[in-house]
Amino acid sequence: MKKENKAVIYWLLTGCILIFVMVVVGGITRLTHSGLSISNYKLISGTIPPMNEVEWNEAFELYKQYPEYQKLNNHFTIEEFKDIYFWEWIHRVIGRFIGLVFFIPFVYFLIKKRLSKSTIKKATILLIMGGFQGFLGWYMVKSGLVDRPDVSHYRLAAHLTTAFLTFAYTFWVALDLIFPDKKIIDRKLRNFIRISLVVLVIQIIYGAFVAGLDAGWIHNHWPLMNEGKWIHETVFIEQNPTYLNFFEGKSGVQFVHRTLAYIVAILILVIWYKGNRIATTPNQKRGINALLIMVGIQFSLGVLTLILAVPVWLGVLHQVGAFILLSAMIFTLHRFSK
């Protein structure tokens, strides 16, 4: 790591930490069903929550105009509304703060000429990804303000996956600066890790589908789905045509998520086995060992989350596990790529 890059690296890693916090708070927001509590978007004034009873009543009256209150929460008191409002508000405030943390230092480093041309291009991509992530957040919320008292699971998956990918790319850019020297690589293993990363991202998408469809509250058994069956008959009959069961059916989406968990675990076992045979640096060994440990933890968290019917704390831990597993995959891929 070059000394002149230290400040830029700290900036990028700070961004990674903040995105991590954002994802955790977003998970709590989703699991506490708080995401539709703020039904308007105000970029500047929206950073200040209601400060007195008059403003709280105005916010509550606005909430009453939308399907979530009318169809699900019409028993809510204003105190209960304040509880869900808090999580959505803090989620949005963190998002704005991340925007500032990325943009202001970026301008400073540009003025001070602390960024190489390559890093400028990468940082510009990060800014675009961050802005797109904010847009997807509001686009997701809008889907729950029309007819149904819930957001589209497709939009939820897009919002969450973009957050994970923004983190992954930020981490990758930081790693490029931490490890600037090139080395000989094993292309076959690198390509296998790339394929495994793609499968892991698909698994993260299906995790969002499960969350968006509330599919974690059914078939709360493992390893069988229930009633002594590996594949429950509802996997194929909830939606028509049949293929939609694997994108929009609760049972079908949960089945895919279960199946991908086994596939991800097997792929990482292969990476660990092959990597141990050719690993030449301490960081390569750390990467593959971290992958093996994290996939074991994450698999266990997934099973517990399922059989305990998604308690909030465990649902959040499972999402955190996915985040750390993705981090380990990115680090390992980087160490076997450059």
Side-chain angles (χ1 to χ4, degrees):
M1 178 173 61
K2 296 179 181 178
K3 185 177 180 181
E4 60 268 26
N5 285 335
K6 276 190 175 181
V8 178
I9 291 168
Y10 291 147
W11 164 56
L12 292 169
L13 292 179
T14 299
C16 289
I17 293 169
L18 286 173
I19 295 171
F20 170 76
V21 173
M22 180 77 163
V23 169
V24 171
V25 173
I28 297 172
T29 302
R30 172 64 196 172
L31 289 167
T32 56
H33 300 284
S34 303
L36 296 175
S37 57
I38 305 176
S39 47
N40 57 8
Y41 183 82
K42 296 178 180 178
L43 181 61
I44 305 301
S45 60
T47 57
I48 303 173
M51 302 300 290
N52 53 54
E53 285 306 307
V54 173
E55 292 179 358
W56 273 116
N57 281 318
E58 289 176 353
F60 193 30
E61 289 301 316
L62 182 62
Y63 177 64
K64 289 179 179 180
Q65 297 176 23
Y66 292 96
E68 184 173 81
Y69 175 83
Q70 295 167 357
K71 297 182 180 181
L72 292 180
N73 294 336
N74 48 36
H75 60 284
F76 262 31
T77 65
I78 194 166
E79 294 305 318
E80 290 172 307
F81 170 69
K82 288 179 181 180
D83 289 339
I84 63 171
Y85 187 100
F86 168 77
W87 287 113
E88 176 63 10
W89 173 77
I90 195 69
H91 186 56
R92 295 189 185 195
V93 168
I94 294 171
R96 291 174 173 89
F97 183 64
I98 291 174
L100 293 175
V101 167
F102 269 99
F103 183 72
I104 294 174
F106 176 63
V107 173
Y108 172 80
F109 289 134
L110 274 180
I111 293 171
K112 294 294 183 178
K113 298 182 178 179
R114 300 283 295 276
L115 303 175
S116 66
K117 287 184 179 180
S118 175
T119 305
I120 290 171
K121 291 178 182 177
K122 294 172 184 175
T124 301
I125 292 172
L126 283 174
L127 287 170
I128 294 170
M129 291 177 74
F132 185 59
Q133 168 69 3
F135 164 76
L136 283 176
W138 177 238
Y139 183 63
M140 175 188 70
V141 168
K142 282 183 68 177
S143 67
L145 301 178
V146 185
D147 298 315
R148 47 182 277 180
D150 208 351
V151 300
S152 161
H153 71 290
Y154 290 118
R155 298 189 191 186
L156 172 67
H159 183 51
L160 179 65
T161 306
T162 304
F164 272 80
L165 293 178
T166 302
F167 163 83
Y169 190 59
T170 305
F171 190 35
W172 187 274
V173 176
L175 290 172
D176 279 345
L177 297 176
I178 295 170
F179 303 106
D181 298 326
K182 305 293 183 181
K183 63 180 184 304
I184 298 173
I185 63 172
D186 185 290
R187 295 183 185 277
K188 288 184 178 179
L189 182 56
R190 179 203 62 186
N191 292 340
F192 188 82
I193 299 172
R194 284 178 175 175
I195 293 168
S196 302
L197 173 60
V198 172
V199 176
L200 178 58
V201 170
I202 294 171
Q203 172 68 328
I204 289 168
I205 292 170
Y206 266 89
F209 283 176
V210 169
L213 292 170
D214 292 332
W217 280 273
I218 60 172
H219 308 308
N220 300 108
H221 300 78
W222 186 85
L224 305 179
M225 290 189 77
N226 57 9
E227 301 174 5
K229 298 176 181 177
W230 287 99
I231 306 176
H232 199 265
E233 60 268 14
T234 53
V235 167
F236 303 103
I237 63 174
E238 289 181 5
Q239 302 291 325
N240 188 33
T242 303
Y243 75 88
L244 281 180
N245 285 285
F246 303 106
F247 299 97
E248 298 179 4
K250 290 185 180 184
S251 296
V253 164
Q254 191 198 101
F255 172 73
V256 173
H257 194 51
R258 283 172 176 255
T259 304
L260 284 173
Y262 292 108
I263 295 172
V264 169
I266 291 168
L267 290 172
I268 288 175
L269 279 170
V270 174
I271 291 171
W272 181 81
Y273 175 75
K274 290 180 175 291
N276 266 313
R277 297 182 66 184
I278 66 169
T280 57
T281 71
N283 281 324
Q284 287 177 333
K285 292 176 181 177
R286 290 188 189 105
I288 58 177
N289 288 336
L291 269 179
L292 186 66
I293 292 168
M294 273 313 306
V295 78
I297 293 173
Q298 178 65 353
F299 194 97
S300 301
L301 285 172
V303 171
L304 287 172
T305 302
L306 180 67
I307 63 178
L308 295 177
V310 201
V312 171
W313 67 272
L314 199 46
V316 172
L317 272 183
H318 188 45
Q319 187 162 293
V320 168
F323 207 96
I324 298 173
L325 180 58
L326 178 65
S327 304
M329 185 71 81
I330 293 297
F331 180 82
T332 304
L333 177 59
H334 194 276
R335 290 299 75 221
F336 280 94
S337 297
K338 294 187 176 184

